[in-house]
């Protein structure tokens, strides 16, 4: 068993007798956010009456974000799906009739059995991070689909380019411990609106700022975070690698390189050095669209810290990898801490994701071995980011069978997948059998043949790792499932039984799945008692090298990429749709989440939607004036893939040449039944086969209200 450090419990946050009239239950926020907060639910007479951040969990500090503070509004929402539904109207109409669980599951099982008898690859699971829980995520679902022999899903839609970049450079999704940012002297917040989507990191950054640290935000948009930092570099989308190289170039020419660290703990320094010297600040400034003085000044800030042996830390986030060169951009940024020896300090280095630090027993939990007992031991892999194209593909020797059945859980692809027009056409296929496990009638549920009511986090067991800190959290059910809602695990267990899958693993209950997730590596009794435990990890993980790469070094040049015929060094790749290359579509569009939404979650929570108001396109006043657009005007954003009507907002957040379509609204709540993904493309990134949501050229025109 790994050694586990346990935070002391505080009185009042212990789980209390569940049979008492009022008691509290430990839980974990399930949403796709690096903070993975611990919460405490107060239950009175079987109803959740209060949800608070757990004050005993240091990373949460008793504070939840605005979104999840409203979680009870979501749980008891009048539009919660509380019974199984069967389609009675045309696809997309959202017209359903109630049906019993028995009838729904019997019919679904019969349809899947018939398809599997021909070729189970015609069945595709489609899921992502609607919950981050290991149990209600893929715990039982992966077992079911592996045993069935269904197509495998490549879950790329958010983070796989960055993950591939980190993997190639550092060896995995590993990095600094987030709490140590509080001691950093210079923090680069790169591609992250931390105030909106990484609030608990922002607390540490604020601590550092109060202690005299300098905060620099690198983001095309003047976010809430950017305006609170000392400096903001509003670079053009997709130019981050050029900026990283220019910073390295300055470190080289001014000798701010930690030669000892580089020599002992990196691979490929000479090659990287030569490449970096091709990027003087003037060249990078022209590519990035920022003043050369800003780049030089930022490099000088880094150099000052290096000379004083003070820690420089980078909080990288996934925004900057949603472009063609996203994987290489992460590689370029991830080289920087090694070049300056920042990893020597516990408050120096980089954090993009910490999820690779966890000893998850994926084989035991997800049971990929069950594929060997299926009719198709080596099924094809479908990339979730090209679901629009793939749903429209006929059977072929290359592709295999057409997708004939889609089981969607923890995801809302009709709203969130790129190039909506094709996604919608695919989902509208009359010959596609679609089952959606959901809490609400989302855009995707509207296209389902069956909608199965899913439990919320307060109604089921789960266990969580984090990608922003290094604690394990347990989520215990606080209340009974509302109506006929059931956990995802229950649905897949029932389908497995109907399909005759008698492997003992399908009998595991949810608490057993929680125990299996980490096995002996985490003390489950401590989790039961306190709701959270902290992994025992080194304070400064790479102070003496020891990167989890094959060489054990930070791979500035990657032999593994070279072996694949790829550039071993981080490459500076222009966007698929580079600004200035298409006169018909001169504006670059990025589409980060609106402050009160988390991807497409929370859009139907009235208080949060009211706070957002309506779908907005942020524009720079010069771009707006050139088109006769005033603040608040209705505009149409368009390109060759589609058009989307929204309201223009000239609020000072967009830089010239870039518009910001805040997402991700449900299509049916948009002005004309569309959202920003009407415009985004299915082109993929350089590494990781990820989508390129922020690599999107558009034009904008004013339209009548
Ligand atoms: S900050 Fe993130 S993890 Fe914490 S409650 Fe909000 S969404 Fe959940």
């Amino acid at each position: 068993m790994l050694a586990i450090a346990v935070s002391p419990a505080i009185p009042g946050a212990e789980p209390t007798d569940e049979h008492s009239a009022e008691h509290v239950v430990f839980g974990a926020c399930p949403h796709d956010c690096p903070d993975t907060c611990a919460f405490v639910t107060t239950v009175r007479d079987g109803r959740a009456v209060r949800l608070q951040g757990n004050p005993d969990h240091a990373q949460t500090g008793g504070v939840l974000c605005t979104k999840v503070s409203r979680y009870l509004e979501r749980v008891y929402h009048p539009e919660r799906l509380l019974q199984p539904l069967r389609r009675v109207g045309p696809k997309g109409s959202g017209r359903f009739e109630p049906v019993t669980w028995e009838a729904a599951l019997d019919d679904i099982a019969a349809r899947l059995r018939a398809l599997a008898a021909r070729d189970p690859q015609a069945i595709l699971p489609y899921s992502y991070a609607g919950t981050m829980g290991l149990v209600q995520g893929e715990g039982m679902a992966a077992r079911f689909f592996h045993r069935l022999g269904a197509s495998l899903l490549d879950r790329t839609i958010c983070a796989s380019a960055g993950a591939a970049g980190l993997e190639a450079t550092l060896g995995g999704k590993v990095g600094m411990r987030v709490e140590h940012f509080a001691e950093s002297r210079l923090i680069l917040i790169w591609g992250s609106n931390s105030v909106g989507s990484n609030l608990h990191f922002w607390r540490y950054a604020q601590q550092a700022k109060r202690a005299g640290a300098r905060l620099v935000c690198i983001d095309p948009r003047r976010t809430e975070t950017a305006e609170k930092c000392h400096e903001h570099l509003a670079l053009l989308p997709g130019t981050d690698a050029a900026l990283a190289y220019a910073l390295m170039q300055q470190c080289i020419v001014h000798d701010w390189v930690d030669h000892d660290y580089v020599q002992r703990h990196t691979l490929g320094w000479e090659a990287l050095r030569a490449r970096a010297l091709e990027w003087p600040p003037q060249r990078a400034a022209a590519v990035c669209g920022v003043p050369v003085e800003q780049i030089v000044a930022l490099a000088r800030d880094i150099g000052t810290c290096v000379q004083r042996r003070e820690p420089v830390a980078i909080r990288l986030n996934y925004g900057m990898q949603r472009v063609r060169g996203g994987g290489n951009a992460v590689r370029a940024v991830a080289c920087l801490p090694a070049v300056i020896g920042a990893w020597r300090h516990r408050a120096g280095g980089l954090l993009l994701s910490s999820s690779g630090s966890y000893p998850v027993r994926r084989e035991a939990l997800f049971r990929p071995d069950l594929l060997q007992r299926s009719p198709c031991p080596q099924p094809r892999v479908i990339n979730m980011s090209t679901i629009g194209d793939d749903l429209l593909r006929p059977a072929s020797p290359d592709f295999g069978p057409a997708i004939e059945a889609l089981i969607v859980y923890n995801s809302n692809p009709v709203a969130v997948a790129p190039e909506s027009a094709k996604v919608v056409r695919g989902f509208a296929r009359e010959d596609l059998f679609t089952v959606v496990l959901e809490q609400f009638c989302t855009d995707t549920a509207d296209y389902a043949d069956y909608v199965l009511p899913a439990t919320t986090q307060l109604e089921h067991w789960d266990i969580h790792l984090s990608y922003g800190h290094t604690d394990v959290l347990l989520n215990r059910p606080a209340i009974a499932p509302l109506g006929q809602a059931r956990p995802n695990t229950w649905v897949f267990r029932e389908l497995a039984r109907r399909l005759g899958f008698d492997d003992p693993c399908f009998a595991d209950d949810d608490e057993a799945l929680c125990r299996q997730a980490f096995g002996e590596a985490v003390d489950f009794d401590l989790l039961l008692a306190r709701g959270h435990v902290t992994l025992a990890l080194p304070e400064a993980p790479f102070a003496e090298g020891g990167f989890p790469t094959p060489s054990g070094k930070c791979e500035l040049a990657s032999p593994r990429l070279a072996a694949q015929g790829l550039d071993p060094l981080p490459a500076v790749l222009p966007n698929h749709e580079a600004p200035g290359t298409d006169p018909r579509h001169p504006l670059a569009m990025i589409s980060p989440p609106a402050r009160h939404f988390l991807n497409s979650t929370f859009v139907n929570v009235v208080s949060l939607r009211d706070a957002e108001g309506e779908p907005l396109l942020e524009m720079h006043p010069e771009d707006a004036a050139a088109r006769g657009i005033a603040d608040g005007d209705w505009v149409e954003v368009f390109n060759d893939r589609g058009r989307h009507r929204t309201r223009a907002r000239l609020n000072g957040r967009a830089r010239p040449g870039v518009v910001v379509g805040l997402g991700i609204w449900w299509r049916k709540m948009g002005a004309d039944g569309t959202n920003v993904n009407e415009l985004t493309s299915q082109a993929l990134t350089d590494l990781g086969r990820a989508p390129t949501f922020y690599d999107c050229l558009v034009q904008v025109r004013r339209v009548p209200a």
Side-chain angles (χ1 to χ4, degrees):
M1 183 185 295
L2 290 179
I4 299 293
V6 183
S7 313
I10 62 151
E14 302 275 358
T16 46
D17 178 3
E18 64 189 66
H19 302 296
S20 64
E22 181 166 308
H23 62 279
V24 297
V25 182
F26 289 146
C29 175
H31 292 294
D32 187 359
C33 167
D35 296 19
T36 317
C37 290
F39 57 55
V40 182
T41 307
T42 304
V43 180
R44 187 181 306 141
D45 298 327
R47 187 177 171 90
V49 293
R50 193 164 58 237
L51 187 112
Q52 297 166 289
N54 187 344
D56 183 39
H57 181 234
Q59 302 292 353
T60 305
V63 177
L64 301 176
C65 65
T66 317
K67 294 169 284 226
V68 174
S69 302
R70 314 290 169 86
Y71 200 69
L72 295 188
E73 197 181 328
R74 193 164 185 278
V75 171
Y76 295 110
H77 196 296
E79 292 165 9
R80 263 291 295 277
L81 293 170
L82 296 178
Q83 57 189 340
L85 300 172
R86 178 165 53 200
R87 179 166 69 90
V88 293
K91 289 217 170 184
S93 67
R95 285 172 42 210
F96 299 100
E97 64 179 6
V99 61
T100 65
W101 270 109
E102 282 299 301
L105 291 170
D106 286 351
D107 191 28
I108 294 165
R111 300 282 294 262
L112 297 184
R113 187 184 301 111
L115 279 174
R118 276 195 282 122
D119 187 342
Q121 295 178 102
I123 302 165
L124 178 68
Y126 195 100
S127 67
Y128 199 66
T131 173
M132 297 294 289
L134 290 166
V135 170
Q136 303 305 334
E138 302 304 324
M140 191 55 74
R143 295 177 179 189
F144 175 75
F145 289 112
H146 286 147
R147 180 66 182 80
L148 189 61
S151 288
L152 299 173
L153 186 72
D154 198 1
R155 292 180 169 81
T156 58
I157 204 158
C158 180
S160 62
L166 272 195
E167 166 69 26
T169 316
L170 305 183
K173 289 191 271 186
V174 292
M176 287 174 62
R177 287 172 58 167
V178 66
E179 55 271 32
H180 296 329
F181 277 88
E183 302 160 13
S184 305
R185 295 298 295 170
L186 172 63
I187 302 178
L188 277 54
I189 302 175
W190 201 319
S192 172
N193 182 7
S194 309
V195 173
S197 57
N198 193 188
L199 186 64
H200 296 78
F201 155 76
W202 181 247
R203 285 186 322 162
Y204 295 124
Q206 289 292 94
Q207 265 178 266
K209 190 178 177 187
R210 283 195 293 274
R214 186 165 175 79
L215 269 49
V216 179
C217 182
I218 300 169
D219 193 312
R221 178 174 182 248
R222 188 163 180 80
T223 60
E224 297 86 347
T225 308
E227 63 196 9
K228 292 180 172 65
C229 287
H230 296 103
E231 188 73 24
H232 173 213
L233 273 76
L235 76 185
L236 286 164
T239 62
D240 305 76
L243 176 61
Y245 265 127
L247 296 175
M248 287 190 267
Q249 189 267 3
Q250 287 288 282
C251 290
I252 293 165
V253 300
H254 295 288
D255 199 18
W256 297 324
V257 172
D258 185 333
H259 296 282
D260 174 64
Y261 191 91
V262 163
Q263 193 254 322
R264 289 197 295 135
H265 302 309
T266 71
L267 193 69
W269 165 240
E270 287 305 324
L272 183 82
R273 182 179 183 279
R275 181 77 62 92
L277 287 172
E278 296 170 12
W279 284 95
Q282 294 77 4
R283 182 182 178 197
V287 169
C288 300
V290 298
V292 65
E293 297 77 18
Q294 265 197 313
I295 298 178
V296 171
L298 176 55
R300 196 184 315 114
D301 290 342
I302 293 171
T304 302
C305 284
V306 171
Q307 288 171 312
R308 293 180 182 163
R309 298 179 185 274
E310 291 176 345
V312 177
I314 303 174
R315 183 60 173 104
L316 195 57
N317 213 339
Y318 288 108
M320 54 85 83
Q321 45 102 70
R322 298 198 167 109
V323 294
R324 176 189 168 212
N328 270 282
V330 168
R331 268 182 60 50
V333 177
C335 289
L336 191 53
V339 170
I340 59 172
W343 291 113
R344 288 184 188 277
H345 311 266
R346 73 176 192 173
L350 172 144
L351 177 63
L352 171 59
S353 170
S354 56
S355 65
S357 309
Y358 288 85
V360 182
R361 296 170 71 230
R362 295 182 188 279
E363 309 280 311
L365 192 59
F366 304 140
R367 298 294 305 271
D369 59 295
L370 290 172
L371 278 167
Q372 302 310 316
R373 307 230 314 116
S374 82
C376 186
Q378 287 189 309
R380 67 174 169 195
V381 179
I382 300 281
N383 187 343
M384 69 187 309
S385 301
T386 54
I387 190 67
D389 279 342
D390 290 338
L391 281 179
L392 299 174
R393 259 188 240 285
S396 73
D398 280 349
F399 183 60
I403 298 168
E404 294 182 65
L406 197 55
I407 316 295
V408 182
Y409 50 103
N410 304 330
S411 186
N412 182 10
V414 170
V416 306
E419 203 172 355
S420 302
K422 286 187 176 172
V423 179
V424 167
R425 261 172 55 212
F427 270 84
R429 274 175 42 200
E430 275 302 326
D431 61 341
L432 178 71
F433 179 62
T434 304
V435 178
V436 176
L437 285 63
E438 250 304 352
Q439 296 157 350
F440 296 99
C441 207
T442 60
D443 288 333
T444 304
D446 283 346
Y447 286 86
D449 293 283
Y450 283 100
V451 186
L452 304 180
T455 43
T456 66
Q457 188 78 340
L458 297 198
E459 299 153 70
H460 55 228
W461 284 93
D462 219 326
I463 192 162
H464 291 253
L465 51 73
S466 170
Y467 62 98
H469 58 68
T470 48
D471 297 351
V472 178
L473 271 66
L474 183 69
N475 183 77
R476 297 164 70 128
I479 56 172
L482 265 59
Q484 296 178 45
R486 293 290 177 269
N488 293 349
T489 44
W490 182 88
V491 173
F492 290 112
R493 231 178 257 121
E494 287 292 314
L495 288 174
R497 185 169 64 78
R498 282 167 171 78
L499 286 166
F501 299 164
D502 55 6
D503 312 71
C505 69
F506 289 108
D508 291 339
D509 66 19
D510 287 4
E511 185 181 337
L513 291 171
C514 288
R515 289 177 182 273
Q516 290 165 17
F518 295 95
E520 296 297 308
V522 168
D523 187 333
F524 199 77
D525 290 337
L526 287 176
L527 274 178
L528 283 171
R530 305 188 187 269
H532 56 93
V533 294
T534 300
L535 296 179
L537 294 169
E539 294 283 298
F542 309 124
E544 289 300 325
F547 292 89
T549 53
S551 64
K553 299 185 174 189
C554 178
E555 298 193 346
L556 310 175
S558 165
R560 289 170 291 162
L561 292 180
Q564 296 170 47
L566 301 173
D567 190 341
L569 292 170
V572 180
L573 298 171
N575 280 0
H576 292 294
E577 301 183 9
T581 58
D582 178 358
R584 293 188 305 128
H585 305 116
L587 297 169
M589 187 186 82
I590 59 172
S591 45
R595 174 120 184 228
H596 296 89
F597 303 154
L598 203 160
N599 299 325
S600 73
T601 306
F602 299 111
V603 179
N604 65 325
V605 174
V606 175
S607 63
L608 296 172
R609 191 172 69 235
D610 285 350
E612 268 324 305
E614 57 193 341
L616 296 176
L617 185 81
E618 294 173 348
M619 299 186 76
H620 190 271
E622 284 170 17
D623 292 325
R627 292 163 178 79
I629 294 167
D631 186 51
D633 279 353
W634 282 98
V635 295
E636 185 177 70
V637 199
F638 61 96
N639 59 21
D640 290 339
R641 288 179 288 273
R643 48 198 65 237
H644 167 54
R645 202 148 58 90
T646 179
R647 192 88 82 156
R649 179 68 71 233
L650 315 186
N651 55 4
R653 297 206 184 277
R655 56 153 289 155
V658 178
V659 294
V660 183
L662 294 172
I664 300 176
W665 284 80
W666 291 9
R667 289 167 59 82
K668 57 187 168 187
M669 292 177 182
D672 54 359
T674 62
N675 69 17
V676 285
N677 282 320
E678 202 74 15
L679 305 155
T680 54
S681 88
Q682 294 180 75
L684 299 178
T685 52
D686 50 352
L687 304 173
R689 291 163 42 84
T692 52
F693 289 110
Y694 298 180
D695 184 340
C696 175
L697 289 180
V698 299
Q699 178 57 294
V700 182
R701 68 169 160 242
R702 189 160 65 88
V703 293

